[in-house]
Amino acid sequence: EAGVVQSPRYKIIEKKQPVAFWCNPISGHNTLYWYLQNLGQGPELLIRYENEEAVDDSQLPKDRFSAERLKGVDSTLKIQPAELGDSAVYLCASSEGPSRNTGELFFGEGSRLTVL
Amino acid sequence: AQSVAQPEDQVNVAEGNPLTVKCTYSVSGNPYLFWYVQYPNRGLQFLLKYITGDNLVKGSYGFEAEFNKSQTSFHLKKPSALVSDSALYFCAVRGPNTGFQKLVFGTGTRLLVSP
């Protein structure tokens, strides 16, 4: 069974440029998460989707970050414009639906962003 | 609010010796607790969880953890460390105040196992 797939693995951009990350969760997983992981830190939740609905986006900086999960499967996280402080690893994870919230999250390998 | 604390940035242990990676939590009510491991340039991998029942839970790769409610701790342990266990370990918690929907991670502990 395929795991959570993320792309690109690495991205280097100039500040003020846009960037987008893509995530395809494990088949059948209704819940999708985007986490931000700064160097030497634990992951911090940016947004959580239940199917196509964003149910928790309280930590998403909405002035420059946006996300979508149009068909309730794969998802895109966008930053526009990027700032130097956005350099980090962006992790996508998925899990089975909310009725099974005892379950673990399955993570992708992450997208490492470097903003110059 | 819910949180976890991992008081050690790094733990060093010799191969073959037992290891402990510490975690304490803060939630209102009974928590769901998790351990994840992260190898270099990889995503996080689930190791084990405590939801209810026996305080000692066993997980992948020979790891286990003990839930201690009185000390609000969930320390990760392994009887005999391997060099390949060297990685970054994260404790995480879900609490009833968020309907157990929000998973909050600690800052991580780097485990270094020397040959």
Side-chain angles (χ1 to χ4, degrees), chain A residues 9-10 33 35 37 40-43 45 48 50 56 58-59 91 98 101-105 107-109 112, chain B residues 32 34 36 38 41-46 49 51 88 90 94 98-108:
Chain A
R9 288 292 313 278
Y10 304 92
Y33 311 75
Y35 279 88
Q37 186 177 21
Q41 299 295 316
L45 181 69
R48 174 169 62 93
E50 302 291 354
D56 183 357
S58 57
Q59 301 301 312
L91 294 168
N101 52 25
T102 60
E104 64 267 30
L105 274 62
F107 283 84
E109 295 191 324
R112 181 179 297 275
Chain B
Y32 295 169
F34 302 79
Y36 286 80
Q38 186 175 33
N41 298 315
R42 305 296 297 274
L44 279 71
Q45 298 177 32
F46 169 77
K49 65 183 176 184
I51 304 300
L88 195 54
F90 291 97
R94 281 179 167 161
T98 62
F100 298 101
Q101 295 295 322
K102 187 168 185 177
L103 185 64
V104 175
F105 287 86
T107 53

Side-chain angles (χ1 to χ4, degrees), chain A residues 62-81:
Chain A
K62 298 181 181 66
D63 57 336
R64 297 183 300 105
F65 286 66
S66 64
E68 60 183 16
R69 193 185 185 198
L70 293 177
K71 297 183 178 179
V73 181
D74 55 353
S75 175
T76 303
L77 177 69
K78 297 178 181 179
I79 308 174
Q80 182 171 10

Side-chain angles (χ1 to χ4, degrees), chain B residues 19-100:
Chain B
L19 69 88
T20 299
V21 182
K22 296 180 180 177
C23 171
T24 58
Y25 66 88
S26 175
V27 298
S28 299
N30 295 319
Y32 295 169
L33 293 158
F34 302 79
W35 276 101
Y36 286 80
V37 61
Q38 186 175 33
Y39 297 100
N41 298 315
R42 305 296 297 274
L44 279 71
Q45 298 177 32
F46 169 77
L47 276 179
L48 50 78
K49 65 183 176 184
Y50 171 81
I51 304 300
T52 187
D54 288 342
N55 289 342
L56 184 65
V57 293
K58 296 185 182 296
S60 306
Y61 312 121
F63 284 93
E64 58 188 27
E66 185 168 13
F67 172 64
N68 188 316
K69 188 172 183 177
S70 63
Q71 297 185 4
T72 63
S73 68
F74 189 56
H75 301 332
L76 181 70
K77 299 181 180 182
K78 187 173 182 180
S80 179
L82 299 173
V83 173
S84 57
D85 292 330
S86 297
L88 195 54
Y89 290 81
F90 291 97
C91 183
V93 66
R94 281 179 167 161
N97 59 323
T98 62
F100 298 101

